[in-house]
Amino acid sequence: MATLPVYPWHLAPDGLATRRQLRALGLRPGGQDVAAEVQRPRRRRGPLVAYLYRIDRAKPVRPMTPARAAALEVAMLARRTCPTCRTDVGYCVPRSLGMCVPCSDIESAA
């Protein structure tokens, strides 16, 4: 089993990119294996690791279909709906509260 090349933070060679960098270019890894990793040291914990993929092997992002757009809209509606008052509050309900802010304020005041 071969080991991955490891590069220091900001010193990865050209032609390699993280998933976020690929997405910014309109690409996705497309099933390819990780080509290398970048490590950023931290003081009291293990290093932060980012996996790198080859840009030349990346595939274009799949286009958004009407069915995927509808599914995404339903999922976002579920995240915006308060389970307590059952209304669309217009923002994603905080997971830390488990309900919208007005419902949380009412509950904490009681």
Side-chain angles (χ1 to χ4, degrees), residues 3 6 11 19 27 36 43 48 50-51 56 66 70 73 82 87 94 98:
T3 61
V6 178
L11 295 178
R19 283 181 179 267
L27 301 171
R43 291 184 182 201
L48 287 174
Y51 297 111
D56 60 345
E73 182 61 34
C82 175
T87 58

Side-chain angles (χ1 to χ4, degrees), residues 12-13 15-22 25 51-55:
L16 297 177
T18 62
R19 283 181 179 267
R20 282 189 179 195
Q21 291 168 336
L22 287 176
L25 296 172
Y51 297 111
L52 300 173
Y53 300 90
R54 291 183 49 176
I55 296 174

Side-chain angles (χ1 to χ4, degrees), residues 99 101-110:
M99 60 188 77
V101 175
C103 289
S104 174
D105 290 343
I106 291 170
E107 187 173 293
S108 64

Side-chain angles (χ1 to χ4, degrees), residues 3 15-16 22-23 26 28 37 40-41 49 64 66 76 84 87 90-91 102 104 109:
T3 61
L16 297 177
L22 287 176
R23 181 59 92 166
R28 61 186 169 97
E37 64 182 43
R40 178 179 174 201
V49 176
M64 183 66 76
M76 290 307 294
T84 306
T87 58
Y91 55 88
S104 174

